[in-house]
Amino acid sequence: MSDLKSCPSVDLEEFVDNILKKYPAKVAKKRKDHILVRKEEDPARESIQANNRTVPGIITQRGCCYAGCKGVVLGPVGDMVHITHGPIGCGFYAWLTRRNLFKPGEDGKNYSTYCFSTDMQEQDIIFGGEKKLKQAIKEAWETFKPNAISVHATCPVGLIGDDVQAVAREAEAELGVKVLAFNCEGYKGVSQSAGHHIANNKLFNETVGTKDEAIPGYSVNILGEYNIGGDAWEIERILEKCGIKIAATFSGDGKYDSMTSSHMASLNLIMCYRSINYLAEMMETKYGIPWAKVNFIGVKAMSKSLRKIARFFEDPELTRRIEEVIKEEEESVEQKLAPYRERLQGKTAMLFVGGSRAHHYQDLLRDLGMEPVAAGYEFAHRDDYEGSHIAGKIKVDADSRNIEELKVEPDSEKYSPRVSPEKKKELEQESVLGHYHGMIPDMPPGTLVVDDISHLELEELIKTLKPDIILSGIKDKYVIEKFNVPSKQIHNYDYSGPFAGYKGAVNFARDIDMMINNPAWKLAVPPFEKKPLLSADLGTD
Ligand code: CFM
């Protein structure tokens, strides 16, 4: 039934049924809707459940709301001080392990390598932590004079009810620096996805549009690019070579000031739709700035994204320059990629990453002749799988209702549509503007899509589909490698990168080749093959 090269004899539906049988009935019922065997030629006929609570007891790779707000969206803005209001562990574990790199601007301000925390103790939990927070903001301001300060609430802060918003307002008035406070307590929502939304709302309300400064030339903002391993710098190199100006990046290598005037740019480019589609939609409604979904991961994807920009600006000179850059860059990487492609051709991969990379990296794998056989997100929503057109149809539940949906209207002074309604419609129909097609249409029949994969499911997939590599994260990396399958971290790139753009594709190919074709995998014997394993059955009482 399946046409997977790696495992032609596997009946995927039977295989999934067998995995589900290992769960108690209630759990199996829930997980069933999060696993999709791609069968239909028309992907629009297939759908998956996502963004639901993880079943307690299942080992998930997800993070918390605080991680999504502080770690993901705000953290990369390096000229701000980001204060974690909570016990020290939360700050410590969000301390640059994601490798969102930062180069200071002309003012030389860079706090990205510091970890700021109020270090709450038991007595603060009992008597309240507001005073301590106020003191921390003051101290941070006096010591560093950052361009802005953010405060991020952790679980205990929400439980004891510290009013971080009031403290931020007071501090802002007293010190004369912007203080953004986020109620991103870890337990809000079902994953870090909730934190993205909370971060987007406040950046939209209190940062974007606070400074009007014209941006000349072909200007774009890059949304949802976080400069992991230097990705944003490779993207910047290419766009600048084409003559396109990046007004602001949200938020890799991000500067606070550039975000304040980002509403003056001509176009928003969305890399990671999951973490920042809210901001893009709201900026379009309020300021008339349209968005285009791009993917800068992969050679062909990069070129395709550049052509989308050319199509939007519709200037023959810019288009000519873009085509020149594409030709030059593609020729140069082609030579470098050829030897890797020879060794990687036909190898299979599985991808279980976050909320966008499990899709983006499929383009790069295909550039190398590799075949993605199974993929899934940890915390994405149904529109990331099925396409942005279904976003309005997703059922809101008790968990998603938790996060405020802002009511946005066109700004009476600052709203200015970038293109005529006719051209906008045309570009939407061509899927240049306002459209993300999602992961499922890119996965051919005979592949598997698994949302919020558990370790049990991952183990079964490894044993049966026997992939040559798994792109995933730190929580499952060593589980995977104990099965003698190499695992590349696609969250922080395992000390490597950049992987974006043309040069990044070569770095990635080099890393992947080194891992897959390393003879060590055939020599190592995992411990559970040397010694018998303890085993147990699930109790039924
Ligand atoms: Fe977007 Fe990200 Fe991702 Fe994400 Fe993340 Fe990340 Fe990610 Mo780790 S913002 S959804 S919350 S692309 S930190 S840079 S790699 S899980 S796939």
Side-chain angles (χ1 to χ4, degrees):
M1 135 124 230
S2 156
D3 60 357
L4 288 182
K5 272 193 228 154
S6 58
C7 215
S9 58
V10 181
D11 178 328
L12 284 177
E13 281 184 283
E14 195 184 306
F15 166 58
V16 171
D17 279 347
N18 286 336
I19 297 179
L20 293 172
K21 277 187 198 138
K22 292 178 191 277
Y23 287 130
K26 263 192 194 163
V27 178
K29 193 164 166 267
K30 286 194 169 145
R31 286 302 301 154
K32 192 169 183 282
D33 298 336
H34 292 256
I35 305 177
L36 170 72
V37 177
R38 280 282 290 118
K39 290 190 300 264
E40 301 280 350
E41 281 305 326
D42 176 9
R45 296 167 64 99
E46 286 182 326
S47 131
I48 194 165
Q49 265 313 317
N51 191 33
N52 298 133
R53 277 183 201 199
T54 300
V55 181
I58 278 190
I59 304 178
T60 170
Q61 267 70 249
R62 284 174 165 180
C64 68
C65 178
Y66 156 80
C69 182
K70 190 270 180 191
V72 173
V73 181
L74 265 297
V77 188
D79 61 353
M80 288 175 71
V81 160
H82 306 290
I83 302 175
T84 298
H85 186 35
I88 192 64
C90 305
F92 184 82
Y93 286 109
W95 188 9
L96 220 54
T97 45
R98 179 166 170 253
R99 300 183 67 246
N100 35 247
L101 309 183
F102 180 81
K103 255 191 249 156
E106 279 168 15
D107 61 14
K109 294 182 183 182
N110 178 5
Y111 315 102
S112 64
T113 53
Y114 291 90
C115 175
F116 299 90
S117 166
T118 51
D119 183 21
M120 284 178 97
Q121 302 293 321
E122 273 173 31
Q123 65 194 37
D124 304 316
I125 302 289
I126 297 163
F127 299 109
E130 290 178 7
K131 272 196 199 134
K132 202 170 189 185
L133 175 61
K134 178 106 187 270
Q135 179 57 29
I137 299 172
K138 199 162 171 255
E139 209 178 303
W141 170 246
E142 283 166 0
T143 316
F144 296 102
K145 295 281 184 303
N147 292 338
I149 294 173
S150 72
V151 172
H152 302 265
T154 57
C155 296
V157 170
L159 296 174
I160 63 171
D162 274 0
D163 189 346
V164 295
Q165 301 297 339
V167 176
R169 275 195 304 272
E170 253 177 58
E172 186 172 311
E174 207 174 287
L175 305 172
V177 59
K178 186 77 209 161
V179 183
L180 301 165
F182 297 89
N183 282 98
C184 55
E185 292 84 358
Y187 55 75
K188 268 194 186 160
V190 299
S191 70
Q192 54 266 63
S193 169
H196 303 147
H197 197 164
I198 290 169
N200 277 229
N201 284 354
K202 186 150 290 248
L203 283 177
F204 176 73
N205 270 344
E206 294 189 34
T207 303
V208 173
T210 54
K211 190 175 92 180
D212 295 335
E213 194 177 87
I215 305 162
Y218 296 111
S219 60
V220 297
N221 298 313
I222 302 188
L223 272 57
E225 164 47 55
Y226 300 99
N227 203 25
I228 312 299
D231 276 354
W233 296 326
E234 166 66 355
I235 296 166
E236 195 181 312
R237 177 188 75 81
I238 299 163
L239 293 194
E240 272 181 6
K241 200 169 164 187
C242 295
I244 300 157
K245 182 175 168 48
I246 301 174
T249 306
F250 290 79
S251 55
D253 197 29
K255 316 285 185 295
Y256 178 74
D257 198 48
S258 66
M259 299 200 289
T260 60
S261 53
S262 58
H263 63 298
M264 309 289 278
S266 301
L267 176 66
N268 276 339
L269 301 176
I270 301 189
M271 253 305 268
C272 168
Y273 171 87
R274 179 66 273 129
S275 62
I276 213 138
N277 71 83
Y278 320 94
L279 185 63
E281 296 281 1
M282 292 189 286
M283 283 175 80
E284 175 153 22
T285 309
K286 187 168 177 183
Y287 302 108
I289 171 168
W291 62 268
K293 175 73 183 76
V294 290
N295 178 19
F296 295 134
I297 304 291
V299 176
K300 288 197 200 95
M302 180 78 217
S303 301
K304 192 175 162 199
S305 300
L306 289 176
R307 289 190 172 113
K308 266 194 179 180
I309 305 172
R311 177 74 185 94
F312 173 78
F313 286 113
E314 231 177 6
D315 172 334
E317 185 46 37
L318 179 72
T319 307
R320 190 193 56 76
R321 182 68 193 137
I322 286 178
E323 288 302 331
E324 243 174 44
V325 171
I326 291 176
K327 188 162 181 279
E328 191 186 314
E329 295 283 337
E330 281 193 357
E331 272 172 17
S332 142
V333 292
E334 199 40 51
Q335 283 174 5
K336 294 177 189 136
L337 286 181
Y340 296 121
R341 195 178 289 126
E342 235 168 71
R343 288 193 292 270
L344 295 171
Q345 192 75 37
K347 302 278 186 200
T348 61
M350 304 203 303
L351 310 90
F352 295 105
V353 204
S356 75
R357 296 185 167 195
H359 183 200
H360 288 160
Y361 275 80
Q362 292 189 27
D363 284 332
L364 181 46
L365 291 169
R366 291 194 182 100
D367 283 343
L368 303 174
M370 293 175 66
E371 193 188 351
V373 292
Y377 301 119
E378 292 163 34
F379 52 78
H381 302 196
R382 274 185 58 202
D383 39 338
D384 301 285
Y385 287 106
E386 298 171 49
S388 54
H389 59 283
I390 69 142
K393 298 178 200 146
I394 300 173
K395 232 174 65 203
V396 178
D397 64 10
D399 292 311
S400 40
R401 202 171 287 126
N402 239 343
I403 315 299
E404 193 188 4
E405 284 286 344
L406 300 181
K407 301 251 173 310
V408 184
E409 289 190 345
D411 190 287
S412 55
E413 286 159 25
K414 298 182 186 180
Y415 181 81
S416 124
R418 302 326 198 238
V419 285
S420 68
E422 297 76 43
K423 185 170 172 199
K424 185 154 183 272
K425 205 164 164 214
E426 199 182 308
L427 292 178
E428 279 169 357
Q429 273 162 359
E430 288 174 35
S431 301
V432 172
L433 290 184
H435 175 78
Y436 171 41
H437 66 269
M439 177 201 280
I440 289 178
D442 282 347
M443 300 207 59
T447 57
L448 260 183
V449 185
V450 188
D451 175 65
D452 186 20
I453 196 168
S454 72
H455 280 199
L456 180 131
E457 293 156 12
L458 185 62
E459 281 186 31
E460 296 299 325
L461 257 69
I462 294 172
K463 284 190 262 180
T464 308
L465 301 183
K466 300 185 176 58
D468 293 300
I469 193 160
I470 300 181
L471 309 188
S472 196
I474 192 66
K475 291 174 202 152
D476 40 359
K477 182 180 175 78
Y478 299 103
V479 175
I480 296 165
E481 295 197 334
K482 280 176 189 161
F483 285 90
N484 284 10
V485 174
S487 172
K488 179 78 190 157
Q489 268 212 75
I490 287 301
H491 298 258
N492 75 355
Y493 298 166
D494 285 320
Y495 322 104
S496 187
F499 291 157
Y502 300 108
K503 290 189 178 169
V506 180
N507 292 338
F508 180 80
R510 178 203 59 211
D511 285 13
I512 293 296
D513 175 41
M514 252 191 313
M515 296 182 86
I516 293 184
N517 295 310
N518 187 330
W521 301 112
K522 294 195 184 77
L523 302 173
V525 183
F528 48 82
E529 290 201 351
K530 284 190 257 176
K531 278 192 209 156
L533 275 183
L534 282 177
S535 70
D537 284 328
L538 206 80
T540 46
D541 295 338

